[in-house]
Amino acid sequence: MKDSIRQRLDRQLDRFEEVARLLADPGLDGSSGAFRDLSMEYAKLTPLAERYQAFRALEGDLAAAHALASDPDPEMRALGEEEARRLEQTTATEELALRRLLVPADPRDSHNIYLEIRAGTGGDEAAIFAGDLLRMYSRYAERQGWQVETLSESPGEHGGYREVICRVGGNGVFAKLKFESGTHRVQRVPATEVQGRIHTSAVTVAILPELDEVEDIEINPADLRVDTFRASGAGGQHVNKTDSAVRMTHLPTGIVVECQDERSQHKNRSRALSLLKARLKAAEQEKRDAAQARSRKLQVGSGDRSERIRTYNFPQGRVTDHRINLTLYQLDAIINGRLEDLLEPLSQEHQAELLAEEGI
């Protein structure tokens, strides 16, 4: 382990022990803000501190094994060499885990998201594939125990969606799906193609983290135009009789959002405002990310939909992620929501980028 990394770990461990002493001080008011802040810091430092303590014990065991490997007795020496090989592998794995824990966590990782899917080039086939992607993400969300709520939708003439916007809520949603923003390209023979020719279509996806109360941004009411209209989705006769759907326009930026899922105009207005704030925050974050990380292959959660990130080739049964040159011949499983083999390598690549940036 590099000295610079060990010094950072030592400082974190010293701070962990200091916070533990402060929390144990009988003079500290258990209901105070200081107690709350220290408790949160202690919880944040605990995984790193405990892992580093275990790592130092592992280093002690490895030193003992190396000493045993120098024993004059051949049997003891062989035993020490075998144990040293095993511990060296374990130590290397644990060192990488510690390095990853030193990388500052993305505060948005625990957030819920807004998932926006829009048909691009390809007409009806693009709209149909937009529906396929929504089903793919919905099935993945179901397997994760997440909740998916449709906020607005514009169905395609022959199935799928020209546009659909959902809110996905659950544990660590943004952490798992933040690399999905971009252009998703599909290559397949449409059902309407009589000559069997392969068509190429595109769908854009944006992943916007939902803001929490701390991040909430103020919007001047004078900068908003709010229109109400009758919802066009499911809902029976009710949607045809009341103007419950809401369209909200942010005049300075021209950003427009709609929500028509709820029967209550008040609820739709609240949902639309939350989505608008998420879009404004994402646009601000995209500018910062572009300035700070122009060389990154993964523009995390930027909502940049101009870049082709993935191709789904149905005739060959393959999916290729162009950012990390990953090709998997698991298209059926992936389209049915089994995204782990795609998402995990993207997360690992992002970790590697952050480690390099931090010099860890």
Side-chain angles (χ1 to χ4, degrees):
M1 178 181 287
K2 292 195 298 186
D3 288 342
S4 59
I5 297 175
R6 191 177 296 277
Q7 288 167 8
R8 291 178 66 166
L9 288 167
D10 285 338
R11 286 196 297 271
Q12 295 275 26
L13 183 57
D14 289 343
R15 177 57 183 168
F16 172 76
E17 293 171 348
E18 180 185 8
V19 172
R21 288 193 298 270
L22 292 171
L23 285 170
D25 185 349
L28 181 64
D29 182 359
S31 61
S32 67
F35 178 82
R36 183 178 62 253
D37 291 344
L38 285 170
S39 297
M40 291 175 63
E41 185 179 3
Y42 184 82
K44 183 179 177 180
L45 289 170
T46 296
L48 178 64
E50 291 182 345
R51 196 149 202 164
Y52 184 42
Q53 289 169 332
F55 178 80
R56 295 206 302 194
L58 197 61
E59 285 185 314
D61 293 341
L62 180 57
H66 281 308
L68 189 61
S70 301
D71 195 280
D73 185 292
E75 289 187 6
M76 297 299 290
R77 188 164 59 249
L79 184 63
E81 289 171 351
E82 181 182 352
E83 181 70 357
R85 283 193 296 271
R86 183 186 70 82
L87 289 171
E88 282 169 355
Q89 291 180 347
T90 305
T91 302
T93 300
E94 286 301 301
E95 180 179 338
L96 179 58
L98 280 169
R99 288 167 58 199
R100 287 177 172 170
L101 285 173
L102 279 175
V103 175
D106 187 336
R108 301 171 296 170
D109 276 353
S110 61
H111 288 203
N112 301 326
I113 65 163
Y114 293 105
L115 167 65
E116 302 184 349
I117 304 174
R118 293 181 177 86
T121 56
D124 292 335
E125 175 62 14
I128 292 169
F129 187 59
D132 293 340
L133 288 184
L134 176 61
R135 184 169 60 253
M136 177 182 80
Y137 290 126
S138 296
R139 289 180 175 175
Y140 178 71
E142 182 180 354
R143 293 176 58 237
Q144 301 297 313
W146 300 340
Q147 297 295 317
V148 179
E149 307 167 69
T150 302
L151 301 185
S152 69
E153 60 184 47
S154 176
E157 292 183 10
H158 296 89
Y161 300 94
R162 291 194 297 271
E163 175 183 279
V164 59
I165 300 174
C166 301
R167 178 183 180 273
V168 185
N171 183 28
V173 181
F174 184 70
K176 294 285 181 67
L177 295 181
K178 61 186 176 182
F179 305 110
E180 292 302 290
S181 290
T183 297
H184 296 241
R185 187 176 67 170
V186 59
Q187 295 173 326
R188 65 183 174 188
V189 179
T192 55
E193 172 56 60
V194 294
Q195 297 183 26
R197 292 176 299 183
I198 296 172
H199 286 223
T200 298
S201 305
V203 171
T204 60
V205 172
I207 304 293
L208 309 178
E210 186 178 49
L211 303 189
D212 57 24
E213 292 181 5
V214 176
E215 289 184 302
D216 200 9
I217 58 178
E218 292 293 327
I219 296 179
N220 187 342
D223 290 339
L224 287 181
R225 185 177 74 236
V226 180
D227 302 304
T228 58
F229 60 99
R230 293 181 183 178
S232 59
Q237 294 181 350
H238 174 85
V239 296
N240 298 318
K241 292 182 178 179
T242 62
D243 292 341
S244 60
V246 171
R247 180 182 297 110
M248 195 170 286
T249 304
H250 186 243
L251 299 175
T253 61
I255 293 176
V256 180
V257 298
E258 291 183 3
C259 187
Q260 54 180 287
D261 183 55
E262 300 287 349
R263 293 192 172 199
S264 161
Q265 184 185 121
H266 175 74
K267 288 183 179 179
N268 279 329
R269 185 186 180 103
S270 176
R271 288 283 182 85
L273 183 60
S274 179
L275 174 56
L276 176 60
K277 288 181 177 181
R279 286 228 192 131
L280 290 170
K281 188 75 173 181
E284 177 186 317
Q285 184 72 37
E286 182 177 353
K287 290 179 182 177
R288 285 203 300 268
D289 287 348
Q292 296 174 0
R294 294 184 188 278
S295 62
R296 271 195 201 163
K297 285 183 265 184
L298 304 175
Q299 289 293 320
V300 181
S302 68
D304 180 2
R305 288 154 284 172
S306 63
E307 189 71 26
R308 183 192 68 186
I309 63 168
R310 193 175 296 148
T311 296
Y312 305 74
N313 186 300
F314 278 74
Q316 297 179 18
R318 66 171 170 83
V319 177
T320 298
D321 196 290
H322 304 288
R323 295 165 294 180
I324 56 175
N325 296 319
L326 173 68
T327 295
L328 299 173
Y329 289 88
Q330 304 172 17
L331 188 143
D332 287 344
I334 288 168
I335 285 293
N336 281 293
R338 297 197 173 272
L339 301 179
E340 292 82 0
D341 288 347
L342 270 177
L343 300 183
E344 183 57 31
L346 287 165
S347 179
Q348 291 173 359
E349 176 69 23
H350 179 57
Q351 284 282 346
E353 288 178 349
L354 292 179
L355 287 169
E357 286 179 11
E358 293 284 328
I360 298 175

